[in-house]
Structure formats: C-alpha cells, structure tokens
Amino acid sequence: TATAPNGFMTLNNPIRLFGDFTIIFAATFFPSPEILKKLRILGNSSNSDMFISMAETSTVDGISGYQLSISSATNGTVFTPRDTLFTPERSISVATFIRRGDKLTIRENGVKKAEGTIVTDELTFDQVGKKGSTVVDNYFNGMIYNISIYDGALDSNLEQLERDIEIRASQAIQ
C-alpha cells in the first residue's frame, strides 16, 4: 500500500536492502533542462542523505548526474563523474545500480557510467519519486515505469533483463 503526501509516494512497508543487490528502474523525463534536477527515484523520509537520484545536483560546480547516497559520510555517496551530465539519451531511461560488497556500479541503458567504493550499510527506502516543476526544490519530473530490486549483484543475463525492462516500459506508453 502507498500514499502520496507531500509529493512522494510513501510506502507503508519500507524496502530494506542488505548486502549485495541490484536495482533496475525505467523512467521517462520531461524534456526541459531546468527541471532535470533531483530526479529522486527512491528516498527515506527520516534520512535525507539516503536516496537514489538520476540527476542530483552535486555541490561541485552544479553538475548533475546519477547518484546513490547512503549517508553524508565520505564513502557514503557514489555519483557519475562530473563530465557525465544526466541527459536522457532515449525516451525511456533504464538505470541500474549494482552493489557488490563495497563496490557500486551505475549503468544507464546497458552502459557503465560510474563505479566506486561505497559503505555497506543497510539501505531503507520508504518513498518513491517526488513531483516536480521548474522550481529547483521540487523533485521528479517524469514517469516511473518500473522499479525492480534483486537480492544479489546480477551479472548473468543483466543486459537482456535491462532490454526487457525497456521494451515493457515502451509498451506502457503506446
């Protein structure tokens, strides 16, 4: 069950992730550059430092890119390199976050965009998306078609799974 107070869809039963995992989501975004910021897919209502975002604005030069943030600790955040701005390459973006031990890999449409070291803390998410507008503080300007969470770091058939999710999402908009 879910409700949508304050723009986020809030889950009555939070998602808790331990150890290795794979998260794949598919989404479409509104095509206006000034609103491709803070596209938060998953969040935590009691910890604003715990989220997954496709275009989080970094504190470094206002650059936006994929980001998984677990905490404000030095190794609590992994984001795409500064030269990899988030610009949707397709009408549907498929993003994959894979944690294997203390390594996090971020992929977009089947291509690795970033890899880094991250803490192995438990993740708890109880929010999905957030509405947005041209106001920077409002979030998520688009449509989420799929969020899949897998126990373990997927290797086998990952590319096929990403393609299948993109195909199913594209059927939803026809």
Side-chain angles (χ1 to χ4, degrees):
T1 308
T3 57
N6 303 322
F8 275 112
M9 181 173 68
T10 303
L11 304 174
N12 293 337
N13 296 308
I15 299 165
R16 287 188 164 74
L17 301 175
F18 305 85
D20 295 350
F21 61 79
T22 303
I23 300 172
I24 304 173
F25 59 86
T28 295
F29 305 99
F30 298 142
S32 175
E34 67 265 10
I35 60 174
L36 285 176
K37 295 180 181 178
K38 297 190 177 184
L39 300 173
R40 292 189 175 182
I41 303 297
L42 295 172
N44 182 307
S45 62
S46 62
N47 181 352
S48 63
D49 288 327
M50 187 175 293
F51 59 83
I52 293 178
S53 175
M54 288 185 79
E56 194 66 21
T57 302
S58 138
T59 57
V60 182
D61 302 324
I63 301 299
S64 68
Y66 289 107
Q67 182 170 333
L68 185 145
S69 176
I70 296 174
S71 69
S72 58
T74 303
N75 63 343
T77 298
V78 171
F79 55 91
T80 53
R82 292 186 325 171
D83 61 346
T84 310
L85 295 176
F86 177 72
T87 305
E89 298 172 4
R90 303 177 186 171
S91 60
I92 296 173
S93 295
V94 176
T96 305
F97 291 78
I98 305 166
R99 182 169 78 178
R100 177 180 285 110
D102 67 348
K103 301 292 183 226
L104 181 76
T105 302
I106 302 172
R107 298 166 49 94
E108 178 187 355
N109 299 323
V111 177
K112 182 166 67 171
K113 294 291 187 174
E115 191 168 62
T117 302
I118 197 160
V119 295
T120 57
D121 298 355
E122 172 189 341
L123 295 173
T124 301
F125 297 115
D126 63 357
Q127 298 175 320
V128 178
K130 187 171 183 182
K131 341 184 242 196
S133 71
T134 57
V135 178
V136 174
D137 289 338
N138 288 328
Y139 299 45
F140 205 82
N141 294 283
M143 296 178 281
I144 299 172
Y145 298 107
N146 178 81
I147 299 175
S148 298
I149 301 172
Y150 301 90
D151 183 20
L154 298 182
D155 285 321
S156 172
N157 299 319
L158 178 61
E159 290 164 359
Q160 182 63 47
L161 182 58
E162 290 168 326
R163 280 193 299 273
D164 289 347
I165 287 172
E166 182 179 9
I167 290 168
R168 288 192 179 109
S170 66
Q171 293 169 344
I173 60 174
Q174 293 179 1

